[in-house]
Amino acid sequence: MSNLKNEIKLVLINKGMGMSDLIKLLNEKHNREDTVQNLNNKLTRGTIKYSEIKEIAEILNYKIGWIPEGTTIQLGDKNIILSTPLQHK
């Protein structure tokens, strides 16, 4: 199973949702008739479009962003550094 598929499933579990709930919301918002099987296939094969991932994130109230390496993010009382950038010699 792809890492992306696992990440989406983890978010769904944390929200008390399943893939069928996600598909229903996506179909309603974007006026289409996608299926759980179709989404699962795209995630498994790695053929899902970036725009579709952004739609999923939006439905789940998440944002996808480009954060520079070495950026410090404060979460509550903890600071998290997002990987240290490579040092060029």
Side-chain angles (χ1 to χ4, degrees), residues 29-42:
K29 181 164 184 157
H30 299 286
N31 195 28
R32 58 183 180 226
E33 296 181 15
D34 209 349
T35 65
V36 172
Q37 183 178 0
N38 187 34
L39 178 58
N40 272 319
N41 289 341
K42 288 179 184 180

Side-chain angles (χ1 to χ4, degrees), residues 67 70-82:
I67 303 170
T71 300
T72 302
I73 298 175
Q74 187 170 0
L75 294 174
D77 61 348
K78 297 179 181 174
N79 288 329
I80 298 173
I81 298 174
L82 301 177

Side-chain angles (χ1 to χ4, degrees), residues 1-12 19 37-49 53 56:
M1 191 179 308
S2 76
N3 191 36
L4 182 56
K5 186 174 181 179
N6 286 333
E7 290 177 29
I8 291 171
K9 282 189 165 192
L10 182 59
V11 172
L12 289 172
M19 289 290 255
Q37 183 178 0
N38 187 34
L39 178 58
N40 272 319
N41 289 341
K42 288 179 184 180
L43 289 168
T44 300
R45 287 189 239 123
T47 57
I48 192 162
K49 296 176 186 173
I53 295 299
I56 290 169

